[in-house]
Amino acid sequence: MIKLTVNGVERELDLDPNMPLLWAIREHVGLTGTKYGCGMALCGACTVHLDGVPVRSCTTPLSAAAGASVTTIEGLDSAAGKAVQQAWSELDVVQCGFCQSGQILSAAALLGRNPAPTDADIDAAMSGNLCRCATYARIRAAIKQAAANLA
């Protein structure tokens, strides 16, 4: 039995501790906003926060989340998270939307630790998130707008 908190709700999951956190979240907790993209932690679609730190849930074993707090796109409610989501909507960032939950979680983590990121900071924080629709310019603009709104 693995105990963890998902979006503020304590959970006990009787699952294989080696199961990727992604599948525990999607298939057993029922939160499908976190996406499967590559299964190798290369695209960022599966990004969640583990105790506030962005991780790729497709390669993070469930055992790594034991006793921890997991935040998915459905539970992102920090000030930075809300600012990012608002900017994403106002700037119409989304095209197909598949990668966006991971993009938003990575951007929120960036602004949570650095409320005034430079372009280099944004590049570094977002480098593990791929967008097959190439909305990178809109993503950068939204991060900058969210930062300005937090100031």
Side-chain angles (χ1 to χ4, degrees):
M1 192 69 68
I2 296 176
K3 294 180 182 183
L4 68 157
T5 302
V6 180
N7 297 336
V9 178
E10 291 186 20
R11 305 277 183 163
E12 288 188 13
L13 301 176
D14 188 12
L15 301 170
D16 180 348
N18 294 316
M19 172 185 281
L21 180 59
L22 170 67
W23 299 120
I25 292 167
R26 288 182 59 83
E27 302 297 324
H28 299 279
V29 178
L31 299 172
T32 59
T34 305
K35 304 301 182 194
Y36 173 80
C38 68
M40 299 183 293
L42 299 173
C43 72
C46 67
T47 302
V48 298
H49 291 176
L50 187 59
D51 287 334
V53 177
V55 299
R56 305 304 185 242
S57 64
C58 71
T59 59
T60 301
L62 178 58
S63 61
S69 177
V70 176
T71 303
T72 69
I73 191 68
E74 293 93 342
L76 184 63
D77 66 355
S78 65
K82 289 177 181 178
V84 168
Q85 290 172 321
Q86 179 180 347
W88 240 250
S89 178
E90 289 174 358
L91 296 181
D92 207 16
V93 170
V94 177
Q95 190 163 320
C96 85
F98 192 81
C99 69
Q100 296 304 305
S101 63
Q103 300 277 2
I104 289 168
L105 282 155
S106 290
L110 166 63
L111 295 180
R113 69 179 179 276
N114 180 356
T118 64
D119 282 345
D121 295 331
I122 293 170
D123 290 345
M126 303 304 290
S127 66
N129 292 85
L130 302 179
C131 176
R132 59 187 172 196
C133 300
T135 64
Y136 300 112
R138 293 196 308 256
I139 289 168
R140 178 182 304 281
I143 293 170
K144 288 182 175 187
Q145 179 170 316
N149 290 345
L150 284 169

